[in-house]
Amino acid sequence: MLVSLPVPSWGQESCFNPDLSNDGNVGAADLILLLSYFDMAWPLDTGITCPTNMEHQGHEYGVVQMGNQCWFSENCRHLPAVSPPSSLEYTPHAFVLGYDGTDVAQAMTTDAYETYGALYNFVAVTEWDLCPSGWHTATDQDWFEMEAHMGLQETELNTLGWRGEAQGDHLKDSLNWNGTDNYGMGFLPGGQTFTNGTFGNEGAYVHIWVATEYTFTKGWYRALMTGSDGIFRSNNVSKTMGGYARCVTD
């Protein structure tokens, strides 16, 4: 028969010092050392370290780590040219929500640009230099990896429409939208442009282009919406529409 005897706290302290790193604090560093004694790895040690920010083309972007990936925590802002939303062409175009002109300097002074960054048609996302060296605009596969890291089931990853349970809310900003922003990605409801040449859906929706080709006229994208806590995946929109883009490490 096994007998379990309580060990007084003073007895535990006399035989084991939890401050294995000898830094005066008991924390993650001590747990990592303890696991290493048993030839085990800290579960959150992915082998990569993301910078806290990244400067690109005059703007300093916040960066967050998602599993083995480093992501921009805000939308791309590169604006070599700006067009009104009526510019529906299969050549690179950028837009700023609510701005109908072509003056880049003026567009960059708007509250919408400050809050949301720039909108791009699909061609601009895939052809313009939106990301710094060693980074690229996120592809469908990049999103799959991030979504899996957040707990989206493997059977749902490659499906169309709304997927997941709360993963969409976990990506949305918690101060200026209705999300919980579990990972610091801070997606905001910056809307989109439509094929009728107008802006729309600000405050309730965000269209995010995915830099993966579908057909000559259509591209993959993700969307988040106030009325859903999932992540929408589809390819059934024109490449001429304006959506946002995020950068991820190569």
Side-chain angles (χ1 to χ4, degrees):
M1 180 177 70
L2 295 175
V3 178
S4 177
L5 297 176
V7 178
S9 60
W10 60 264
Q12 296 177 43
E13 293 172 357
S14 65
C15 65
F16 175 67
N17 175 17
D19 184 16
L20 299 176
S21 61
N22 293 314
D23 62 356
N25 297 295
V26 178
D30 305 298
L31 179 55
I32 293 170
L33 283 171
L34 179 63
L35 291 172
S36 70
Y37 294 157
F38 298 95
D39 197 27
M40 298 170 66
W42 172 242
L44 297 182
D45 182 9
T46 63
I48 68 167
T49 302
C50 297
T52 57
N53 51 63
M54 176 66 63
E55 196 280 333
H56 183 52
Q57 295 165 334
H59 182 76
E60 191 170 275
Y61 292 90
V63 176
V64 296
Q65 184 164 338
M66 300 291 282
N68 290 315
Q69 300 171 302
C70 302
W71 284 74
F72 277 10
S73 62
E74 55 188 291
N75 299 328
C76 295
R77 294 178 172 274
H78 181 45
L79 202 65
V82 64
S83 303
S86 56
S87 300
L88 304 172
E89 302 173 14
Y90 293 99
T91 54
H93 283 277
F95 318 94
V96 171
L97 190 73
Y99 182 73
D100 291 319
T102 59
D103 187 318
V104 170
Q106 187 178 57
M108 292 177 70
T109 65
T110 64
D111 290 341
Y113 179 81
E114 175 66 24
T115 302
Y116 303 122
L119 290 152
Y120 306 95
N121 66 9
F122 184 88
V123 186
V125 169
T126 56
E127 293 187 7
W128 277 356
D129 183 22
L130 303 186
C131 304
S133 176
W135 297 66
H136 60 271
T137 45
T139 65
D140 209 28
Q141 188 60 44
D142 291 322
W143 273 85
F144 286 159
E145 187 172 338
M146 178 173 69
E147 290 163 340
H149 171 70
M150 293 192 296
L152 194 68
Q153 297 299 308
E154 186 175 355
T155 54
E156 287 191 273
L157 288 176
N158 204 40
T159 60
L160 299 173
W162 290 105
R163 302 131 68 241
E165 297 178 357
Q167 284 80 12
D169 280 348
H170 294 170
L171 292 177
K172 296 176 191 172
D173 183 77
S174 59
L175 297 176
N176 299 294
W177 206 0
N178 68 330
T180 55
D181 201 14
N182 294 35
Y183 304 96
M185 291 291 280
F187 278 99
L188 294 168
Q192 63 190 114
T193 73
F194 296 111
T195 53
N196 66 358
T198 63
F199 296 106
N201 284 337
E202 181 184 9
Y205 180 90
V206 61
H207 177 108
I208 311 125
W209 279 123
V210 174
T212 299
E213 192 83 16
Y214 181 59
T215 67
F216 178 77
T217 60
K218 295 180 179 180
W220 288 99
Y221 72 98
R222 295 296 193 277
L224 305 172
M225 188 172 71
T226 297
S228 175
D229 57 8
I231 302 172
F232 192 80
R233 174 179 181 260
S234 182
N235 52 36
N236 193 28
V237 294
S238 170
K239 289 180 179 179
T240 61
M241 290 174 55
Y244 297 94
R246 292 283 178 115
C247 295
V248 64
T249 42
D250 293 345

